[in-house]
């Protein structure tokens, strides 16, 4: 059986307005996949989970964009990334 | 200055404003072969999607933002016939008219400088974890470039 | 400053060096709608067609050179979706690494700024009566770009 | 009959190395065409005339590029222009 652990998930941009405190702590089993992790978000933060499912928000693990099958552990740096808006101009 | 220190200065995410002349000098001091520099400077505009904007704030993912910008610089140096590339993005509050982002590409020939610079800014917008909130008459709005 | 005086400063052929920051400010002060500037800076390179170059001298046809640069600026403003264009070319002796030519294009959107800037420098080389002699180990050589 | 007049022709770049004094004075009939003017250069400055005929050097009249049929008078500003080399980089 995998052990479970609490990890802090970094939030950016408009996600911080959706989650009181601007940070998100989640208890998840070691070695679970990103797809499972998203489902574990749903009960408390349904809006956030929905944005990830719709690919409007990306999950990064250790500063790289993760896929649904990426495995995560509590030593990983996990973040939820809304659409980027660097540079200056909206349109090309 | 040691080469490593100098390389670090070629990719930066910083709060302070910057001088374009100083950043250009940083690039051209790397080689006397440089004959053309193409530069992109993004500035804070007072209109966005039909809304008036009075100022804006940029937020970045510390660590990952720098890593992505370094990736962009390295790929540009590899994929284009250019001599040096500098990428700089500000964060924090920024007033209308102020500098936001700077890309400086030095090359022997201008066609390569233009192509690489254009690629860098397009790529920056795609892969760099930086977010913008605009201060409008309706309040603060987080900008979603790719809805 | 009167509008006419300011317009005159947007197209210049001058001996003195220039600050890119100052010229950028001249362009962006024209409109708060500017969100992106593309800039081309040509600098003096130490190699040309396989020859070492120690310095160079630019000569221009006073009057006609300015007239052609004004033409280029006006056509760029008409043919591209850009807000302002500045064109500056130096003449006289120029050392390796120094600035030669500057084009600054301000636009709402970056694609237009890139396209117009590229067009301006290409057109400048085609139609502007400016000549360059390079000082090489073999003596002074007038450069013929279109042999 | 057309009257004849002396005009000073401006020279630039490498042309100045071909013409002693770096300037060129020519006596030509009022209203003559550029093509005739070029032929009048030939006796004294054959090298210069040849460059113009080969289109390596352009003729400008009143600061605009002239054609073979452009008519010139002694009040016009005439110049001979070698290949331009503005900007900075030779090749694209």
């Amino acid at each position: 059986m995998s052990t479970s652990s609490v990890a802090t998930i970094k939030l950016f941009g408009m996600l911080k307005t959706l989650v009181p405190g601007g940070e998100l702590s989640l208890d998840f089993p070691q070695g679970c996949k990103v797809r499972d992790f998203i489902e574990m978000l749903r009960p408390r933060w349904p809006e956030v989970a929905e944005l990830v499912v719709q690919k409007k928000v990306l999950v990064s693990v250790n500063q790289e964009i993760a896929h649904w099958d990426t495995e995560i552990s509590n030593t990983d740096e996990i973040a939820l990334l809304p659409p980027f808006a660097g540079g200056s101009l909206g349109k090309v | 200055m040691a080469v490593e220190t100098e390389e670090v200065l070629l990719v930066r995410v910083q709060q302070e404003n910057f001088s374009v002349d100083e950043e250009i000098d940083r690039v051209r001091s790397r080689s006397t072969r440089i004959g053309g520099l193409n530069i992109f400077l993004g500035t804070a505009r007072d209109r966005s999607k039909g809304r008036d904007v009075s100022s804006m704030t940029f937020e970045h993912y510390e660590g990952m933002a720098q890593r992505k910008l370094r990736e962009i610089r390295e790929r540009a140096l590899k994929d284009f016939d250019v001599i040096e590339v500098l990428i700089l993005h500000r964060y924090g509050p920024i007033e209308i008219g102020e500098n936001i982002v700077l890309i400086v590409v030095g090359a022997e020939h201008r066609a390569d400088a233009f192509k690489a610079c254009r690629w860098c800014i397009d790529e920056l917008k795609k892969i760099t974890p930086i977010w913008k909130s605009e201060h409008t008459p309706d309040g603060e709005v987080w900008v979603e470039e790719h809805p």
Side-chain angles (χ1 to χ4, degrees), chain A residues 10-17 51 55-56 58 60-65 77-92, chain B residues 40 42-43 45 58-64 67-68 71 89 100-101 118 121 124-132 142-147:
Chain A
K10 288 176 192 281
L11 299 178
F12 295 96
M14 59 83 171
L15 286 177
K16 288 193 290 197
T17 64
L51 285 167
K55 314 237 164 136
K56 287 185 179 166
L58 298 174
S60 73
V61 176
N62 298 328
Q63 304 187 356
E64 291 292 344
I65 303 302
E77 182 178 312
I78 302 168
L80 297 181
L81 316 178
F84 306 147
S88 55
L89 308 169
K91 279 176 274 174
V92 171
Chain B
F40 178 76
T43 58
R45 189 162 57 144
F58 283 87
E59 184 189 5
H60 72 294
Y61 182 169
E62 177 67 25
M64 183 174 174
R67 184 194 189 111
K68 288 295 157 187
E71 246 181 67
H89 204 296
I100 299 169
V101 58
R118 178 67 201 269
I121 181 64
L124 182 150
K125 291 182 72 73
K126 270 187 222 145
I127 72 166
T128 315
I130 295 180
W131 299 272
K132 174 168 66 169
W142 283 98
V143 177
E144 297 204 17
E145 299 290 349
H146 328 278

Side-chain angles (χ1 to χ4, degrees), chain B residues 3-143:
Chain B
V3 172
E4 268 180 53
T5 321
E6 189 56 40
E7 292 238 333
V8 164
L9 294 174
L10 292 167
V11 171
R12 278 139 58 210
V13 181
Q14 66 184 39
Q15 184 149 17
E16 318 81 66
N17 201 355
F18 49 82
S19 147
V20 178
D21 279 308
E22 275 173 33
E23 302 306 328
I24 287 174
D25 284 345
R26 210 184 290 288
V27 168
R28 72 169 144 196
S29 68
R30 305 273 289 179
S31 168
T32 52
R33 289 287 160 95
I34 292 177
L37 298 113
N38 190 250
I39 298 150
F40 178 76
L41 175 65
T43 58
R45 189 162 57 144
D46 66 355
R47 293 280 294 174
S48 173
K49 298 177 182 168
R51 285 190 304 252
D52 284 317
V53 176
S54 58
S55 72
M56 53 192 69
T57 302
F58 283 87
E59 184 189 5
H60 72 294
Y61 182 169
E62 177 67 25
M64 183 174 174
Q66 286 85 344
R67 184 194 189 111
K68 288 295 157 187
L69 295 183
R70 275 197 301 274
E71 246 181 67
I72 293 169
R73 173 173 174 270
E74 280 152 24
R75 282 168 58 200
L77 287 171
K78 194 169 73 63
D79 294 348
F80 298 89
D81 192 7
V82 298
I83 295 171
E84 193 49 273
V85 174
L86 173 144
I87 308 178
L88 191 43
H89 204 296
R90 289 179 68 197
Y91 68 88
I94 289 182
E95 298 302 313
I96 299 306
E98 278 187 29
N99 298 331
I100 299 169
V101 58
L102 179 73
I103 310 222
V104 180
V105 177
E108 278 197 75
H109 303 296
R110 69 183 182 283
D112 303 304
F114 271 94
K115 267 187 282 179
C117 186
R118 178 67 201 269
W119 179 83
C120 285
I121 181 64
D122 288 352
E123 195 67 8
L124 182 150
K125 291 182 72 73
K126 270 187 222 145
I127 72 166
T128 315
I130 295 180
W131 299 272
K132 174 168 66 169
S133 72
E134 291 176 340
H135 311 278
T136 76
D138 308 326
E140 196 179 329
V141 183
W142 283 98
V143 177

Side-chain angles (χ1 to χ4, degrees), chain A residues 46-82:
Chain A
E47 225 178 333
V48 174
E50 197 50 35
L51 285 167
V52 180
V53 168
Q54 289 174 19
K55 314 237 164 136
K56 287 185 179 166
V57 163
L58 298 174
V59 180
S60 73
V61 176
N62 298 328
Q63 304 187 356
E64 291 292 344
I65 303 302
H67 303 282
W68 294 126
D69 290 327
T70 305
E71 289 188 9
I72 51 179
S73 80
N74 68 328
T75 56
D76 289 328
E77 182 178 312
I78 302 168
L80 297 181
L81 316 178

